[in-house]
Amino acid sequence: HGTATNELITGDITIIRDFIDVRDVVSAYYLLLTKGEKGDTYNVCSGKGWSLKEIIDIISGMLGTKVTIRTDPSLFRPNDNKIIIGSNEKLKIKLKWRAKYTIEQSLNDMIQYWEEQI
């Protein structure tokens, strides 16, 4: 943790994606394997959208680091969907699954893991 300023060169950080903690994915997969209906389709997702800029802001806030973002248009994907958010309603209703980890918890745990590795 510190107050350093860092530059981050990125592609399009306005795109919105559905992020989910891998631990929640594992619990959903377990339920699907043990109680899911054969041949049925379920979406394993958080059901919430976060822009990549929001994710960068959360991480930099947790690290106490100021990040200057410089977008590089050559890194943009020309046919990228602007928003991808899934619906986990079927998983919640049929299998009583619930995500246990918030995006903040997931990112904080990720940071703690890497701080221990370094």
Side-chain angles (χ1 to χ4, degrees):
H1 298 289
T3 58
T5 300
N6 300 293
E7 182 177 66
L8 184 62
I9 300 169
T10 69
D12 186 359
I13 60 172
T14 65
I15 61 172
I16 295 172
R17 294 294 181 262
D18 186 327
F19 292 95
I20 185 170
D21 193 291
V22 69
R23 295 167 290 188
D24 285 326
V25 173
V26 170
S27 72
Y29 282 2
Y30 179 78
L31 280 175
L32 289 169
L33 288 169
T34 58
K35 298 179 182 177
E37 256 183 67
K38 185 177 180 178
D40 216 347
T41 304
Y42 301 83
N43 292 324
V44 178
C45 58
S46 72
K48 297 176 185 169
W50 296 86
S51 74
L52 298 181
K53 178 168 182 352
E54 289 172 311
I55 299 297
I56 293 167
D57 289 345
I58 293 169
I59 293 171
S60 65
M62 289 176 171
L63 292 173
T65 303
K66 180 162 176 45
V67 177
T68 301
I69 298 170
R70 185 165 54 95
T71 56
D72 179 350
S74 72
L75 298 174
F76 285 38
R77 296 178 183 166
N79 298 320
D80 211 357
N81 291 322
K82 288 301 229 179
I83 300 173
I84 299 175
I85 303 171
S87 171
N88 57 22
E89 287 304 307
K90 187 175 179 181
L91 191 59
K92 287 162 68 174
I93 292 167
K94 284 195 167 188
L95 300 181
K96 309 297 185 228
W97 174 86
R98 294 284 184 276
K100 294 179 183 167
Y101 299 92
T102 65
I103 192 74
E104 293 84 4
Q105 288 170 310
S106 298
L107 294 173
N108 187 57
D109 289 351
M110 178 189 71
I111 289 167
Q112 284 184 359
Y113 171 82
W114 284 109
E115 285 179 338
E116 290 170 9
Q117 300 306 307
I118 298 171

